[in-house]
Amino acid sequence: MSLQLWSNCRAATLRSDASGSYGLIEDAALVVQGESLAWVGPRAELPSALLGRCTVHHDAGGALVTPGLIDCHTHLVYGGDRAQEFEMRLNGASYEEISRAGGGIASTVQSTRSASAAELQRSSAKRLEQLMNEGVTTIEIKSGYGLALEHERKMLMVARQLPQCHSVEVRTTFLGMHAIPPEFDGRPDEYVDAVLQMLSTLHNEGLVDAVDGFCERIGFNTQQMERVFAAAKALGLPVKLHAEQLSDSGGAQLASRYGALSCDHLEWLCEDGARAMAEAGTVAVLLPGAYYFLRETRLPPMDLLRRHGVPMAISTDSNPGSSPCTSLLLIMNMACTLFRLTPEEALAGVTRNAARALGLNDRGVLAAGRRADFVLWDAKRPAQLCYALGSNPRLKTVFKGQLV
Ligand code: NIG
Ligand code: FE
């Protein structure tokens, strides 16, 4: 098979075993074989036998190269928008009050149920293109605005079909446990029975990569979540959880007992929760867009996470209610300015640790054997990706070895 060489670049490999910051290699070379990286290192050390087999030479023009960005927590597929609630909040209502009054997630459920698959496909594709324009090559998309079999299926199928016209990989998460739909009002446990049915059907149809839930005062309690996690485990599906976003509900401890890939949000995480996550190897997915947009004041406990060695990822949480955001670069900036992550933590949060939050060990770093998903940036140093607020320095994206 012919090999492709990319040289004249500086590579932020994000390898955790590398000595310097970002795993940075000045004057790097990357050799691509098919969909994978065959070699990554300083150009001067490229074996001449390998160089001799490279039939295509790309000049990266001095660009910075990073792994393809991974947005590991999104609700990208939905109908309608919630600009009106944004206005209500500016007139004094809170996110929780709007939700209790039948707005919030429930209003998006209504618009998503009434949208056709084609309509959802069109609106989601637009949002996806905005993310890809900033170097996203892998994205997780949740269901959770259907809350009934046919509509959850519609959302997951739309998500799964997006790569047919876009050079991106989509991982789908079943989020039937997002809210109680109106037809189950006051009967949460019966709705959980329905979720268990949906999970089994959608899993049999091959539409589910992982299972998520919203463990919260305005979501589900830990007993209800545990029934769904137990079912996921029996099906061999990994779990994750929207945990401790608005209160400390003990969701992190529960999810960790089920070996969760990630716990997400975590503003109210306590030390026991952080310890449980560390022991289970669960990733903390921080969502500064939701913190910013809901004007939360309680920061996730970054020092606790660092102290316990919990890997941190960051993501857009792209959704109509708490984070209508389609810029992962903006989220990296917010992670630094609002959450005080270092630019290196922020970049690891959308590459190496985001891959881990999805249970993917074939990407997220630039190294031989990993997928050839990478981005060329018009940037001298990696911190510029977090620093340059509102600008997009992406030059090119390579997805599975091919220039997009
Ligand atoms: O991740 N917290 C629950 N789910 C979403 C918000 C969904 C919505 O408001 O539509 C989140 O923030
Ligand atoms: Fe979310």
Side-chain angles (χ1 to χ4, degrees), residues 39-328:
W39 193 90
V40 177
R43 191 171 53 120
E45 293 172 19
L46 177 62
S48 52
L50 201 55
L51 177 61
R53 288 172 55 207
C54 291
T55 49
V56 184
H57 290 215
H58 300 273
D59 181 348
L64 172 73
V65 182
T66 69
L69 305 191
I70 300 172
D71 198 355
C72 66
H73 175 143
T74 85
H75 309 249
L76 199 79
V77 175
Y78 58 83
D81 70 77
R82 304 237 291 276
Q84 202 191 347
E85 284 180 14
F86 178 57
E87 245 175 337
M88 285 163 70
R89 285 199 291 111
L90 284 164
N91 285 310
S94 76
Y95 181 75
E96 251 184 280
E97 282 161 6
I98 293 170
S99 161
R100 291 189 195 282
I105 295 174
S107 84
T108 301
V109 169
Q110 215 173 21
S111 357
T112 304
R113 285 180 175 181
S114 58
S116 68
E119 282 161 355
L120 291 178
Q121 199 280 337
R122 266 194 301 279
S123 58
S124 312
K126 261 192 219 159
R127 293 188 278 268
L128 177 62
E129 283 154 24
Q130 287 161 4
L131 288 165
M132 290 175 64
N133 191 38
E134 291 186 350
V136 168
T137 51
T138 298
I139 181 173
E140 184 255 16
I141 302 178
K142 303 175 196 295
S143 67
Y145 291 121
L147 310 184
L149 180 62
E150 70 173 299
H151 299 293
E152 287 290 296
R153 179 192 282 128
K154 176 174 71 178
M155 290 185 73
L156 292 169
M157 284 179 68
V158 166
R160 283 284 179 100
Q161 282 162 6
L162 287 168
Q164 287 175 4
C165 304
H166 296 88
S167 300
V168 72
E169 179 157 333
V170 171
R171 306 291 292 179
T172 50
T173 299
F174 173 61
L175 180 58
M177 293 292 276
H178 199 191
I180 298 166
E183 60 277 18
F184 281 93
D185 203 16
R187 298 183 293 135
D189 295 314
E190 286 171 50
Y191 178 62
V192 178
D193 294 339
V195 167
L196 297 176
Q197 291 271 328
M198 283 190 254
L199 172 59
S200 137
T201 307
L202 296 168
H203 169 67
N204 283 335
E205 293 173 7
L207 290 171
V208 181
D209 294 317
V211 176
D212 194 354
F214 185 27
C215 189
E216 192 54 70
R217 293 188 294 236
I218 54 168
F220 295 90
N221 64 32
T222 47
Q223 288 82 6
Q224 291 159 344
M225 274 317 311
E226 179 148 21
R227 292 182 59 201
V228 177
F229 281 179
K233 188 174 170 189
L235 295 171
L237 288 170
V239 302
K240 55 179 76 180
L241 192 64
H242 285 71
E244 342 299 13
Q245 178 184 10
L246 308 170
S247 61
D248 182 5
S249 310
Q253 290 91 321
L254 168 71
S256 301
R257 274 201 280 120
Y258 282 83
L261 289 174
S262 69
C263 287
D264 305 35
H265 285 291
L266 298 175
E267 279 79 349
W268 292 83
L269 180 73
C270 67
E271 178 133 25
D272 278 353
R275 195 176 299 115
M277 288 175 67
E279 279 164 14
T282 298
V283 176
V285 177
L286 306 179
L287 304 167
Y291 171 91
Y292 163 81
F293 194 70
L294 298 183
R295 300 188 72 232
E296 298 291 347
T297 49
R298 172 129 179 163
L299 287 166
M302 276 74 60
D303 284 339
L304 201 57
L305 295 167
R306 289 186 185 110
R307 189 147 37 83
H308 285 277
V310 179
M312 293 184 283
I314 58 176
S315 168
T316 60
D317 191 16
S318 187
N319 78 74
S322 69
S323 186
C325 175
T326 48
S327 169
L328 197 49

